[in-house]
Amino acid sequence: MYDDSSARIVAGLHEWLRTAAPGARLPSSRALVAQYGASPVTVQKALHTLAAQGAVETRPGVGTFARAARVARPHDYGWQTAALGPRPKPVQQLATALHTYPNDVIALHSGYPDRELLPERLVRAAFTRAARTDAAVTRSPAAGLPELQAWFAAELGAVSPADVAPPTASDVVVFPGSQASLSATFRALVGTGRPLLVESPTYWGAILAAEQVGVQIVPVPSGARGPDPEALSRAFAQTGARAFYAQPSFANPTGAHWSPDLADEVIRLVREHGAYLIEDDWAHDFGITHEVVPLAARDDGGHVVYLRSLTKSVSPAVRVAGLVARGPARERILAGAQAESMYVSGMLQAVALDVVTQPAWRTHLRGQRHQLAARRDLLLGALREHVPSGVVEAVPQGGLNLWLRLPDTTDVARLVRDCEAAGVVVAAGDEWFPAEPTGAYLRLNYAGPNPGAFPDGARVIGEMLERQAG
């Protein structure tokens, strides 16, 4: 009875408020008690309900009043024009590789491996175990969990020559993914307005990070066998650059894997010019026929700053990367990382460490190698059959992608649109060039979902190319 009476009063007062002027005073509590035959407590409950709904406002000692209706008006953000100043140089928008599409399309655009290529069972078990540890409720050290630092150092030290001192755990900084480490490294070692040499084409995320930091990007020609050492030498001499960003193992997007001779020459050049090589070992866990031996394993003089991410190989939900740098460079990078993110989730670090130290991790990588080879060969064969005018200049021995050269007359943007309209999503190669593209390319991911649809995807690409040519 009590609740029914309160609801009756609320409904009655809503009717009264519909015709009342904003700010009108409601009848007194005594009048409402008499009008509704309710107790004072019930009347007060009804008024509290109206106040919670924003219909009335109570002024202690004065009374209760109809709340004035709020009139919607346009937002005035004009002041921000002066506060923000001139618009900076636009940076790349979200890359095609990060776009999501319905499940019924043939997705050849992604930069990540399909879920079935991930160690899902290991990851789920690691999360369960980590949740029962202190990692779930404590802050990790700024440079990372000591055990994970030691693991990254040991992985690199295991392939270091006998005459090269291996890195130690104290040389490692753990980051929340490779993108954060690239930004911190470019900011610390290059600096705003200073030149950074990069392979062309190169990873779009590195281009984005460099643009956001404000460094001056200097392209160095690179192809199926890696960068041109003569062009690299000239770029160092002409620009005075003190850093070169590169992916020596299964480069994204070209798939290039540097020969030992090229690796030696690049190390010689960075030493000669007193510079850093920022080595992005993004595909360390995706070798097919070649094992990865990082250039950083050959250097103990601090010239090579080494980055290895676990995000693609362990799980996209575990954004963890390790950066190995020696000497003052490491301290400067760490200082910048602390200023930006303070520390990396201890929970994610614990999960990553758990996964990569399980005996089943190596078993998973061996099985993954065979799956990647089968997928690569399936897509390669389909392209040769259905896209005869396209050329894969070098079959990658690892990584996730094929770099498909198209006829020079190809309108790549139109081709991408036409393929998408036909249910096939591809990535235009333009996104991987830090300057004007030197040709028409597509980057196609052979580690994506539904490999059985690769032949259909290649057929659509071929048909759309023929439509342009016709």
Side-chain angles (χ1 to χ4, degrees), residues 222-247:
S222 189
R225 288 177 292 277
D228 178 353
E230 292 186 3
L232 178 61
S233 180
R234 286 194 301 270
F236 270 126
Q238 292 171 358
T239 66
R242 290 295 176 263
F244 172 42
Y245 168 80
Q247 297 180 327

Side-chain angles (χ1 to χ4, degrees), residues 189 236 242-245 270 274-278 302-305 326 328-329:
L189 302 187
F236 270 126
R242 290 295 176 263
F244 172 42
Y245 168 80
V270 296
Y276 296 100
L277 168 65
I278 302 170
H303 284 280
V304 182
V305 175
R326 306 199 191 199

Side-chain angles (χ1 to χ4, degrees), residues 156 159-160 249 257 279 281 284 291-298:
L156 194 54
V159 292
S160 295
S249 298
H257 187 76
E279 179 182 10
D281 193 12
H284 186 95
E291 295 289 342
V292 174
V293 179
L295 273 67
R298 311 182 192 191

Side-chain angles (χ1 to χ4, degrees), residues 4 90 99 160 171 177 202 311 335 396 425 470:
D4 288 345
H99 289 179
S160 295
D171 295 321
T202 192
T311 301
V425 184

Side-chain angles (χ1 to χ4, degrees), residues 249-311:
S249 298
F250 320 129
N252 178 8
T254 63
H257 187 76
W258 295 6
S259 69
D261 288 344
L262 176 58
D264 288 340
E265 179 64 9
V266 171
I267 290 177
R268 185 190 67 79
L269 285 171
V270 296
R271 288 173 177 166
E272 177 182 313
H273 289 278
Y276 296 100
L277 168 65
I278 302 170
E279 179 182 10
D280 185 351
D281 193 12
W282 76 278
H284 186 95
D285 297 318
F286 298 117
I288 297 177
T289 57
H290 281 58
E291 295 289 342
V292 174
V293 179
L295 273 67
R298 311 182 192 191
D299 173 70
D300 56 7
H303 284 280
V304 182
V305 175
Y306 173 77
L307 168 64
R308 178 179 174 184
S309 174
L310 297 175
T311 301

Side-chain angles (χ1 to χ4, degrees), residues 296-451:
R298 311 182 192 191
D299 173 70
D300 56 7
H303 284 280
V304 182
V305 175
Y306 173 77
L307 168 64
R308 178 179 174 184
S309 174
L310 297 175
T311 301
K312 286 183 171 66
S313 54
V314 172
S315 168
V318 183
R319 290 194 59 78
V320 171
L323 180 140
V324 180
R326 306 199 191 199
R330 187 258 191 193
E331 302 310 314
R332 186 169 294 189
I333 293 170
L334 175 58
Q338 286 179 278
E340 188 165 301
S341 58
M342 292 192 288
Y343 61 91
V344 181
S345 163
M347 184 76 172
L348 294 185
Q349 292 186 71
V351 168
L353 180 64
D354 187 314
V355 171
V356 298
T357 54
Q358 293 291 329
W361 168 246
R362 295 296 175 188
T363 303
H364 162 74
L365 292 181
R366 286 193 293 271
Q368 175 185 263
R369 176 175 301 179
H370 296 300
Q371 293 183 67
L372 287 174
R375 287 164 172 261
R376 178 201 61 188
D377 294 345
L378 177 62
L379 181 56
L380 189 63
L383 292 172
R384 286 170 174 165
E385 177 181 356
H386 297 290
V387 193
S389 60
V391 177
V392 175
E393 295 173 344
V395 177
Q397 304 306 304
L400 306 175
N401 312 296
L402 295 179
W403 187 234
L404 181 67
R405 177 71 184 262
L406 304 171
D408 291 339
T409 56
T410 303
D411 183 337
V412 179
R414 175 186 163 193
L415 176 64
V416 171
R417 291 194 301 269
D418 290 346
C419 286
E420 185 172 340
V424 179
V425 184
V426 295
D430 296 12
E431 295 180 10
W432 282 265
F433 284 93
E436 290 78 9
T438 57
Y441 289 91
L442 293 180
R443 196 203 69 167
L444 305 174
N445 180 12
Y446 54 76
N450 192 15

